Amino acid sequence: MTATATNAKDDLSEGTLELHNEALETLFQRLSELSSLPSIALRIIEAAVDEHTDAEDLRQLIERDPALAARIIRIVNSSFYGVRQEVADLRSAIALLGTKQIRNVAITVFVSRQFSPSNTKDTLDRNQLWSHSMAVGAVARLLAKTLHVADPEEAYLAGLLHDMGLLIIDQHLARHVPRIRTSMQEGLSLHEAVHKILTFCPSQLGAYVAWRSKFPSRLVTSIEFHHKPEDYKGDDRQLTDLVAVSDYIATRSGAGVMQQADPITPNQDVFERLSLNEERLSDIWSKIDETLEATKAMAAV
């Protein structure tokens, strides 16, 4: 096992590490290098969680990328955030939303740049994948605010990034996509087909890349276990449960990772841990259409 993989033990599950032989570890490291966020994005992530960083520090970081700064202002003024008065500058945007939300907007912009359509037909539908990622992020944010079980901005980020492993596979291992599609035609789900062809799960790759990108450990865990939250044996599982339910709700609402994708229903234990009874779930469903429409407006900016 490489030194990098050994150091990952604190944040990645033993199951993920045990899965990797030397060749897979090397592949994961290489894909992580190819898919890493720009240095300014990594600095923004670190700044947003550093208690010694103030709004002015974050503003100066963002303004090093004028295109990023301009798009952040446009997104803040979109219906997703519902600000009452139009924001004209970055300082006002940070003052209004705070450093965590601005960090998430910045990361949304950086990640969206990775979802540009491919020139070949032998890929996944990246527009659909991006819409799904945004939808899960928005639903996770709604759930966190409604249930008071996690930080809404951390929940949004976890939902946004939960399927990043699929994007990385589509970008850098596209030659395998036709075989993955064939396996799906034989009845396997997308994630099952990926595991059959590549011998690892997209969620494991996504978790590894998130860890290498210095995201918080709770977020890394939520990416790895969002399809099988029952496999996570740790204590801090609220974010993982949130993403699992958000993925289910978004897919059931028509915003699946692929057209006509079947939702993966979490175990009843997941709903119970979140105190999601029928009444609260009904209340959330009543807000889903509005939430997803606002997400589409944000994605179009």
Side-chain angles (χ1 to χ4, degrees), residues 182-197:
T182 298
S183 293
M184 293 176 63
Q185 291 169 358
E186 296 170 352
L188 296 182
S189 69
L190 174 56
H191 286 255
E192 290 170 340
V194 170
H195 188 274
K196 175 184 176 181
I197 301 304

Side-chain angles (χ1 to χ4, degrees), residues 80-228:
F80 185 80
Y81 284 101
V83 296
R84 296 182 178 180
Q85 185 172 351
E86 184 173 330
V87 174
D89 59 85
L90 192 56
R91 182 179 281 109
S92 299
I94 296 174
L96 180 65
L97 296 184
T99 56
K100 282 188 178 180
Q101 289 201 51
I102 293 298
R103 171 206 63 184
N104 285 356
V105 176
I107 293 173
T108 300
V109 173
F110 283 122
V111 174
S112 71
R113 293 173 180 174
Q114 309 300 315
F115 282 84
S116 57
S118 171
N119 293 324
T120 175
K121 64 180 181 180
D122 290 332
T123 62
L124 302 174
D125 185 338
R126 292 185 190 170
N127 285 333
Q128 182 74 22
L129 182 54
W130 176 234
S131 296
H132 173 68
S133 299
M134 290 280 291
V136 175
V139 174
R141 184 170 176 257
L142 171 64
L143 283 173
K145 292 177 72 173
T146 302
L147 303 175
H148 307 289
V149 295
D151 182 298
E153 296 313 309
E154 188 173 40
Y156 167 80
L157 195 56
L160 180 76
L161 301 176
H162 79 289
D163 269 343
M164 64 188 300
L166 284 175
L167 173 64
I168 295 166
I169 289 169
D170 192 53
Q171 287 179 319
H172 303 298
L173 297 173
R175 67 186 182 278
H176 298 289
V177 170
R179 294 172 61 205
I180 292 171
R181 287 186 179 278
T182 298
S183 293
M184 293 176 63
Q185 291 169 358
E186 296 170 352
L188 296 182
S189 69
L190 174 56
H191 286 255
E192 290 170 340
V194 170
H195 188 274
K196 175 184 176 181
I197 301 304
L198 299 179
T199 74
F200 62 83
C201 294
S203 54
Q204 292 170 319
L205 173 59
Y208 185 89
V209 174
W211 168 76
R212 287 289 298 267
S213 299
K214 300 181 180 180
F215 283 102
S217 59
R218 286 192 305 276
L219 190 144
V220 174
T221 298
S222 70
I223 292 173
E224 182 172 359
F225 292 100
H226 72 274
H227 272 172
K228 292 185 176 181

Side-chain angles (χ1 to χ4, degrees), residues 212-272:
R212 287 289 298 267
S213 299
K214 300 181 180 180
F215 283 102
S217 59
R218 286 192 305 276
L219 190 144
V220 174
T221 298
S222 70
I223 292 173
E224 182 172 359
F225 292 100
H226 72 274
H227 272 172
K228 292 185 176 181
E230 64 275 9
D231 287 352
Y232 177 58
K233 306 306 179 184
D235 296 325
D236 193 1
R237 59 192 312 149
Q238 289 179 325
L239 196 60
T240 299
D241 288 345
L242 269 180
V243 175
V245 173
S246 300
D247 192 8
Y248 161 74
I249 290 176
T251 302
R252 186 175 164 184
S253 300
V257 69
M258 300 185 74
Q259 291 287 350
Q260 300 178 330
D262 293 325
I264 299 175
T265 307
N267 288 347
Q268 187 60 34
D269 289 347
V270 174
F271 291 93
E272 291 177 358

